């Protein structure tokens, strides 16, 4: 993945934040139980649009960022072992400032594991990229796994902060697209938790959620359909406090060839 903004950059310059997301197919009802392996399929040539909402730090309300939109397209595929990886390009427009980001993803259907190349760079843009585990559907819902960071430290306002990143499949959920007409999207919520430590002192945690749809019939969503960064509150001794709104990137429309 290249040119992706880190979550820590998002905290410092929120108005210029960019988060990557992709999706595939339309929607249907029903959810596999925890531990089942969903059918996640990507299609080259698919296109998607997204909207962005701020999330209040205090009362959970949201506000649409009308000057910020994103368009994704699944550009090409290539083999990776016995699986197929896909290249996804995002074009984000923030008040006329255009940014292009690229993501690589693949799904191991036999193992029930979804991977994204360089996911760790959301946390640390200097991290060495690997095929990071985004979703492990072979585990029971609520079971955590670690996402390695190398290096595992980031600088925030000159402070060297150690980060331990973990993830878990929370379980099935549903949301509505923001386009007109709205459509229900059935998906799995995957929660990422970044625990932050300065010296030996815990200074807070950052939470962000991937919402992964799956194919379960002729009219489903499949892939990453929503990405939500929860509001931030971090305190670094002796005096630095980082507090900011969250950001919710949601599927608005999609076109599957």
């Amino acid at each position: 993945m290249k040119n992706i903004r880190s979550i820590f950059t998002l905290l410092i310059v929120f108005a210029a934040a960019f988060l990557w997301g992709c999706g595939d197919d339309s929607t249907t009802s029903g959810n596999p139980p925890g531990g089942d392996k969903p059918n996640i399929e990507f299609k080259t040539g698919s296109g998607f649009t997204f909207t962005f909402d701020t999330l209040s730090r205090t009362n959970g309300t949201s506000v649409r960022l009308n000057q910020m939109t994103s368009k994704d397209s699944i550009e090409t595929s290539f083999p990776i072992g016995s699986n197929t990886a896909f290249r996804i390009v995002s074009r984000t427009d923030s008040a006329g400032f255009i940014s292009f980001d690229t993501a690589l993803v693949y799904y191991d259907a036999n193992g029930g594991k979804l991977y994204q190349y360089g996911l760790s760079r959301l946390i640390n843009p200097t991290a060495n990229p690997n095929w990071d585990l985004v979703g492990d559907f072979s585990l029971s819902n609520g079971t955590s796994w670690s996402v390695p960071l190398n290096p595992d430290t980031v600088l925030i306002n000159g402070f060297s902060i150690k980060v331990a990143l973990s993830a878990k499949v929370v379980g099935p959920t549903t949301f509505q697209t923001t386009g007109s007409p709205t459509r229900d999207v059935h998906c799995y919520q995957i929660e990422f938790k970044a625990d932050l430590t300065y010296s030996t002192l815990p200074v807070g945690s950052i939470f962000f959620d991937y919402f992964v749809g799956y194919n379960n019939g002729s009219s489903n969503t499949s892939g990453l359909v929503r990405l939500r960064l929860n509001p931030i509150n971090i305190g670094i001794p002796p005096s630095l406090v980082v507090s900011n709104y969250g950001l919710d990137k949601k599927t608005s429309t999609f076109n599957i060839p």
Side-chain angles (χ1 to χ4, degrees), residues 60-257:
T61 58
S62 62
V63 177
R64 179 63 41 81
L65 295 174
N66 291 320
Q67 291 185 314
M68 190 172 186
T69 59
S70 185
K71 296 180 180 180
D72 287 3
S73 59
I74 301 180
E75 301 272 319
T76 188
S77 63
F78 56 92
I80 177 168
S82 59
N83 299 294
T84 301
F86 293 85
R87 179 177 181 266
I88 301 167
V89 175
S90 294
R91 179 187 184 275
T92 302
D93 185 340
S94 180
F97 179 81
I98 307 299
S99 173
F100 288 90
D101 296 315
T102 300
L104 305 176
V105 297
Y106 80 88
Y107 181 57
D108 175 4
N110 291 328
K113 300 177 189 293
L114 179 64
Y115 294 89
Q116 180 176 327
Y117 189 71
L119 170 74
S120 57
R121 290 188 170 182
L122 272 172
I123 295 295
N124 184 359
T126 67
N128 296 321
N130 294 295
W131 283 105
D132 296 317
L133 182 60
V134 174
D136 191 342
F137 299 97
S138 68
L139 301 175
S140 299
N141 293 341
T143 303
S144 297
W145 64 89
S146 296
V147 180
L149 296 174
N150 182 24
D152 62 356
T153 58
V154 296
L155 288 177
I156 303 178
N157 285 24
F159 292 88
S160 181
I161 306 298
K162 187 171 183 178
V163 184
L165 182 61
S166 62
K168 64 181 179 182
V169 177
V170 176
T173 187
T174 304
F175 72 92
Q176 287 189 324
T177 58
T178 58
S180 181
T182 60
R183 301 179 69 175
D184 289 335
V185 179
H186 299 270
C187 52
Y188 273 87
Q189 178 185 355
I190 301 172
E191 179 187 273
F192 287 83
K193 180 184 180 185
D195 291 317
L196 312 181
T197 304
Y198 174 62
S199 185
T200 60
L201 299 175
V203 297
S205 298
I206 294 174
F207 295 88
F208 61 100
D209 299 300
Y210 275 37
F211 293 82
V212 179
Y214 58 91
N215 190 333
N216 193 29
S218 59
S219 181
N220 291 353
T221 52
S222 186
L224 186 57
V225 293
R226 183 179 182 183
L227 183 58
R228 181 176 64 198
L229 172 63
N230 293 308
I232 302 297
N233 286 286
I234 300 170
I236 303 174
S239 60
L240 177 62
V241 175
V242 180
S243 180
N244 219 321
Y245 293 93
L247 189 68
D248 194 358
K249 179 179 180 179
K250 298 172 69 174
T251 297
S252 176
T253 63
F254 49 86
N255 178 37
I256 311 300

